[in-house]
Amino acid sequence: MGLFTRRSQTAHIQEGTAAVATLEVDPTLAALTGDYVIDPSHSSIGFTVRHAMVTNVRGSFAGHEGTLHLDGSDPSRSTASIDVKIASVSTGIADRDGHLLSGDFFDAEAFPLMSFRSTEAAQLGGDAYRITGELTIKDVTRPLSIDLEFAGSATDVYGNERVGFEGSAEILRSDWGLTWNAALEAGGVMVSDKVKLTFDISAIKQA
């Protein structure tokens, strides 16, 4: 079931030689329209990167905040805004985290936030969506598209109306100026340029 709209089974109406498609809005899903705040205690923003050509290192950013606007009648009008605190990065190894915070990578003291601001949203079909926007890391802003799946909606035990999304995207870190690396004796490099970003988002509807 799609988050925002369903296509009517009788969607095509003949008008002369043209076929006009109409959309039937699901009232249950349309009721989700509104403004939401991301709940950081029940959300995660993570990354995976190849290390030494043989294994993956996974990490996450515990500190983040953001807002969503969902439009149940027209998904293209939905928006997202997220700010991530670079200093909250964790890979499970303190020395590695410290290196990521240094000038070799994020330079967290000079650039404490990584941010995403959406510019476009689209329904791909069913529960699949794509949100496109601008990702800023350090002093570089470049376009990014995130593929999302609607995970559902529910009212929690405190009476909060929640929605959930799971998503991912792949970037080349060098596009944002994160170019540090080290050559391996056997060939290849210490850290892959390709990074997979993952998003598990729970957001609470605002009154």
Side-chain angles (χ1 to χ4, degrees):
M1 181 172 63
L3 170 57
F4 298 115
T5 57
R6 288 179 173 175
R7 188 172 297 277
S8 170
Q9 296 298 316
T10 58
H12 292 92
I13 304 171
Q14 296 296 326
E15 291 187 358
T17 59
V20 178
T22 61
L23 291 177
E24 181 180 296
V25 177
D26 184 318
T28 302
L29 300 177
L32 298 178
T33 295
D35 296 315
Y36 293 76
V37 171
I38 294 174
D39 177 6
S41 63
H42 294 94
S43 302
S44 65
I45 297 176
F47 60 89
T48 303
V49 62
R50 198 76 171 163
H51 177 262
M53 310 295 291
V54 297
T55 190
N56 290 317
V57 168
R58 293 176 172 82
S60 63
F61 295 93
H64 53 83
E65 59 184 22
T67 59
L68 308 175
H69 174 75
L70 304 183
D71 191 311
S73 299
D74 183 357
S76 68
R77 297 174 61 184
S78 298
T79 60
S81 174
I82 301 175
D83 291 313
V84 176
K85 296 178 181 179
I86 297 298
S88 70
V89 69
S90 175
T91 64
I93 303 294
D95 287 346
R96 183 164 58 207
D97 296 344
H99 193 195
L100 289 173
L101 296 176
S102 75
D104 283 345
F105 287 95
F106 289 109
D107 194 1
E109 186 172 346
F111 305 100
L113 294 179
M114 173 171 60
S115 63
F116 176 81
R117 300 290 184 269
S118 68
T119 57
E120 183 180 353
Q123 182 177 13
L124 303 181
D127 289 333
Y129 299 84
R130 177 172 293 152
I131 190 160
T132 299
E134 295 183 333
L135 175 66
T136 299
I137 303 175
K138 298 173 76 171
D139 56 353
V140 179
T141 299
R142 293 181 60 87
L144 175 69
S145 292
I146 304 170
D147 288 337
L148 296 166
E149 182 176 354
F150 175 56
S153 63
T155 301
D156 66 22
V157 295
Y158 302 105
N160 298 312
E161 185 175 352
R162 292 178 178 265
V163 294
F165 293 90
E166 299 175 3
S168 64
E170 286 191 350
I171 66 170
L172 298 179
R173 61 187 178 91
S174 60
D175 286 344
W176 281 267
L178 304 179
T179 57
W180 183 91
N181 228 321
L184 301 175
E185 290 185 7
V189 292
M190 181 70 73
V191 184
S192 170
D193 192 20
K194 182 187 293 184
V195 180
K196 181 178 181 180
L197 304 176
T198 56
F199 306 86
D200 286 287
I201 301 297
S202 177
I204 298 172
K205 192 172 187 179
Q206 302 301 287

